[in-house]
Amino acid sequence: MTKILVVEDETAISNLIAVNLRKAGYQVTCVYDGMAAADALDEALYDLILLDVMLPRVDGYELMSYITPLEIPVIFLTAKASVSDRVKGLRLGADDYLTKPFEIIELLARVETVLRRYHKTESILTVEDLTIDTGSRTVRRGEKAINLTKKEYELLLLFVRNKNIALYRETIYERIWGGEYMGDSRTVDLHVQRMRKKIGWEQKIVTVYKVGYRLEV
Ligand code: CA
């Protein structure tokens, strides 16, 4: 399920966005200031962030320096209609922006477009000598094709998209298996171990004590 983080301090707007995105089938988390947004990004993985510019504590522009290394697409929500603010947002790495007030249909269209663009532009992922083609869902190490099961492939993508970040077993479970994690780590451990062995990444996907795993590259 596509997860969207909404960072917006005006609760009426935040609620309106959340209700409509949920209706459209997205999983939505709302936070109301910049610090809470940074905390949310530490705790879970998101596919897209809707980011208000004017926020208490840490504003949207400042938050971009935190978001950029995570490679999560961002749509700025701005009350300011000035061209310089839009340019600043885009220059900082935002994928798009919406000027408030906006129609819900426009919001949904932009969310869809950014998500589609994002998945499309990263069809070939390369990490050292490993190449992942997300179009054909094939994995090669150098010239050698590696056969992964569907879950192992999804796990690999999760690690590659979150390089050098410790992923909690709980997060891994929720992202790959989709249900609620009940504390049984064997499923996650088994799949991670098999996947990294097939790829030869026993030294790269490391166990993080009491947390889970991290891809170190
Ligand atoms: Ca605001």
Side-chain angles (χ1 to χ4, degrees):
M1 204 180 207
T2 304
K3 286 175 82 170
I4 301 178
L5 181 66
V6 178
V7 190
E8 165 64 76
D9 58 316
E10 288 160 76
T11 48
I13 297 173
S14 174
N15 291 344
L16 183 72
I17 293 171
V19 165
N20 285 284
L21 288 178
R22 284 182 188 130
K23 269 191 213 158
Y26 298 106
Q27 195 178 326
V28 184
T29 302
C30 295
V31 290
Y32 305 94
D33 68 65
M35 287 298 281
D39 289 343
L41 290 165
D42 280 340
E43 283 160 17
L45 302 167
Y46 293 93
D47 299 292
L48 175 68
I49 302 167
L50 300 184
L51 182 60
D52 186 23
V53 174
M54 303 300 283
L55 288 166
R57 300 169 85 192
V58 178
D59 75 21
Y61 293 140
E62 289 175 279
L63 206 59
M64 279 308 286
S65 64
Y66 195 82
I67 294 170
T68 306
L70 303 175
E71 295 178 353
I72 302 170
V74 173
I75 299 176
F76 264 119
L77 306 174
T78 171
K80 301 173 177 177
S82 91
V83 174
S84 66
D85 286 321
R86 287 180 213 172
V87 169
K88 185 173 179 189
L90 294 172
R91 192 170 283 155
L92 284 170
D95 293 83
D96 207 345
Y97 61 87
L98 271 166
T99 305
K100 293 185 271 189
F102 45 80
E103 299 284 333
I104 287 303
I105 194 163
E106 190 190 0
L107 166 76
L108 293 175
R110 292 200 185 219
V111 164
E112 221 173 274
T113 305
V114 169
L115 285 171
R116 202 185 307 131
R117 189 197 302 154
Y118 187 73
H119 290 303
K120 203 171 181 160
T121 53
E122 55 166 4
S123 67
I124 304 284
L125 298 167
T126 312
V127 183
E128 299 186 358
D129 60 345
L130 197 79
T131 309
I132 305 165
D133 184 337
T134 60
S136 60
R137 297 175 76 92
T138 51
V139 179
R140 281 185 296 110
R141 180 152 188 212
E143 295 300 307
K144 187 172 170 273
I146 297 168
N147 283 321
L148 298 177
T149 65
K150 187 168 176 288
K151 293 295 184 210
E152 288 164 355
Y153 172 81
E154 288 171 4
L155 261 179
L156 173 64
L157 271 192
L158 185 66
F159 280 106
V160 167
R161 285 181 174 147
N162 297 280
K163 291 186 274 279
N164 301 315
I165 295 171
L167 298 174
Y168 282 86
R169 286 190 175 85
E170 186 181 0
T171 307
I172 296 171
Y173 187 87
E174 287 175 6
R175 289 297 294 236
I176 305 300
W177 282 271
E180 200 186 329
Y181 183 63
M182 304 301 280
D184 179 5
S185 63
R186 278 184 307 177
T187 304
V188 171
D189 292 339
L190 181 71
H191 282 79
V192 170
Q193 283 157 21
R194 288 186 60 84
M195 181 270 285
R196 70 182 176 186
K197 190 168 176 221
K198 282 187 183 179
I199 294 171
W201 272 8
E202 290 98 329
Q203 312 300 320
K204 285 198 204 307
I205 296 178
V206 301
T207 305
V208 182
Y209 181 63
K210 285 190 173 172
V211 173
Y213 297 93
R214 180 175 58 231
L215 169 60
E216 292 183 344
V217 288

